[in-house]
Amino acid sequence: MLSLRCVRLLGWPALLSVLVACSNGRGSVDEQSQQPPPAQGAQEGFTVGGTVSGLAGSGLVLQNNGAGDLQIAGDGSFTFASKLATGMAYNVAVVSQPTSPAQTCTIARGSGSIATANVSDIAVTCATGQFSVRGTVSGLSGSGLVLQNNGSGDRPISADGPFTFGGLVDGSGYTVTVRTQPSGQTCLVSNPSGTIRGADAGNVEVACTSSGFTIGGNAAGVAGTGLSLQLNGANDLAIVGSGPFAFSKALQSGAGYVVTVRRQPSNPVQSCTVGNGAGTVSGSNVTNVAINCVSRSFTVGGTVSGLAGSGLIVQLNGDGDLPILANGRFTFDEAVPSGARYRVNVAAQPTNPTQVCTVASGAGTIGSANVSNVRITCSASAFAVGGTVIGLQGSGLVLQNNGSDDLPVSADGQFRFPTTLASGATYRVTVLTPPANPGQACTVTNGQGTVGGGDVGNVVVSCNTSDFSVGGTVRNLEGSGLVLRNNGGDDLSIDGNGSFAFGTALPSGARYDVTIASQPNDPTQVCTVSNGSGSVGQGNVTSIVVDCETQTEDFSVGGRVTRLRGTGLIIQNNGSDDLSIAADGRFTFPTRLPRGSPYNVTIRQQPERDRCEVRHGAGTIRDRDVGDVEVRCDRHGDGDD
């Protein structure tokens, strides 16, 4: 029932105009106040929404129950922010219709009562208005006048009066032209072009005069702007598109005519030619002049710089792969018509080394000349070197990469050197300064290698309290297979010159003794250790020097015999190389030994009446002849020495 409050406020004459305002949207008035409250524990509220379709303009605003403005920007679903409880009414309305273009939006299923679910079936449908171009013809006395709008929709005109072109939407353009002039007359169009702005266009005027015969024809293929024709070197006519045309100046029968192109089109650039462009007027309008336009095409290219890798491929408009082999100029084979869009992109980046190439000035519209300013700049991909520090307790730890990039580290966790490296570059992570307070020894795992196509993140720096690394420097290493050994058991394979450190750290005060466990070969070398033994202090041992020398010759083993009185002395080297000694003096074994070989001089046969012994008789061949072996003999029972 209608509430008395509404009647008193509005009065009976205004009742019908505001009935909806006093309704709860379900066909009855003031029933909303009669709805029971939501049940205990029911959902606090439900949303109201639906779908918008056909929206082309802007400014559409919806309301629910006269409030809660909701701006709609495009097709799709919508939902009001406010929720309604079960039993409450909803009434969705359009409070602002869209413009640009003007549209009318209607609502289906826009009102009702909230049940126990969200409302989502409201349909808002928008339609664009239809407008007309209206005009007037005056002075028409001949027959055959035909008008066109936008190059189509022929409209024959038989007498003076109004004409209409319909079916235009808001925002669309229009151009009214004379397709066919009437016999014996020339008709000119005033205010021929414009844009629909939410209403009919009504100021087009077509004025016809009987001053002679027109010169015209048909233009085909017009895509650019600015095309201008000329009649007999003086009368200009702008052509805005393909279709029929006629010069405004009429000529008398018997007059000559020459039609030429005064200005070619641009945006896009075109070349237009004239067919049947010259002749003599013969008692009727000339309608066979033919204008044919074709778009010109231009190439796209530019320059490449910074290219060091291989495999770079660029594309034009997503097609037409062009491999780039070196820096310099490039040009795509396929030409692009004037006015068309072009876009140059990198289809494949170079590798060996990995690079990233970027394109500048690579997109635009073809104008009236070849495009030659595309710039492709390549640079090596730069990647970070880093990893993880574990076990750090002291302070002052400084890591170093490649002997110069220093990185202080204050705590366990991830680290990354500030200087990035190009793909293909080598890296070598070392401990420049070990931590102190407490003193710790830090070792590096996975610390050297070559940067690939991504960041290096697997370097591990492990720090042990009071333990320090033992290492130093290897020099002049040429062969392979060099193995160093510390304290008789900790072996370390060396594959190149530079710093080294044993994997097993030692506590402060511990002894270390570095020796050669295996000499290098290919080529054969003899490596010697300097500063190879000592005690670990409060820092890493880095003073050990391993010098390697290539083995290129054999060396002799010899020495001196003293106090020999008897005869028959025979000495022997390595159990097989015998040498008879007849008197005191120097001796040399005939068999020479290569560097690194062991030697062991012994008495194979004692002389008569003497007892001989060997001193300094065993060792390893180094880098020179062995000449300090001593064979000392004494008389039986003399007891000298």
Side-chain angles (χ1 to χ4, degrees), residues 498-523:
S499 61
F500 70 90
F502 284 91
T504 301
L506 299 178
S508 179
R511 292 288 299 173
Y512 63 90
D513 184 15
V514 177
T515 58
I516 305 295
S518 178
Q519 295 285 4
N521 51 50
D522 295 327

Side-chain angles (χ1 to χ4, degrees), residues 385 401-402 420-429 447-452 456:
V385 175
N401 187 24
N402 290 338
T420 56
L421 300 179
S423 175
T426 59
Y427 63 91
R428 185 179 182 88
V429 179
Q448 59 183 348
T450 301
V451 178
V456 175

Side-chain angles (χ1 to χ4, degrees), residues 252-401:
Q252 299 298 317
S253 182
Y257 64 88
V258 176
V259 177
T260 57
V261 176
R262 183 177 184 274
R263 184 169 59 249
Q264 297 285 2
S266 60
N267 298 320
V269 175
Q270 291 189 285
S271 296
C272 300
T273 58
V274 181
N276 304 318
T280 302
V281 178
S282 181
S284 63
N285 294 331
V286 175
T287 61
N288 66 336
V289 179
I291 308 297
N292 293 304
C293 300
V294 294
S295 296
R296 294 179 58 190
S297 295
F298 300 93
T299 60
V300 176
T303 57
V304 176
S305 61
L307 179 61
S310 60
L312 172 62
I313 298 177
V314 295
Q315 285 183 335
L316 174 61
N317 292 336
D319 197 4
D321 290 357
L322 178 63
I324 303 296
L325 304 179
N327 292 318
R329 298 205 62 81
F330 71 92
T331 302
F332 287 95
D333 295 333
E334 180 182 359
V336 181
S338 176
R341 296 283 299 173
Y342 69 90
R343 183 178 184 84
V344 178
N345 65 284
V346 176
Q349 296 285 5
T351 58
N352 300 320
T354 300
Q355 290 187 284
V356 175
C357 300
T358 56
V359 180
S361 303
T365 302
I366 299 294
S368 58
N370 294 330
V371 175
S372 59
N373 66 334
V374 180
R375 300 189 308 278
I376 299 177
T377 304
C378 302
S379 59
S381 299
F383 300 103
V385 175
T388 307
V389 174
I390 57 177
L392 178 60
Q393 297 181 20
S395 60
L397 172 63
V398 179
L399 304 180
Q400 190 177 72
N401 187 24

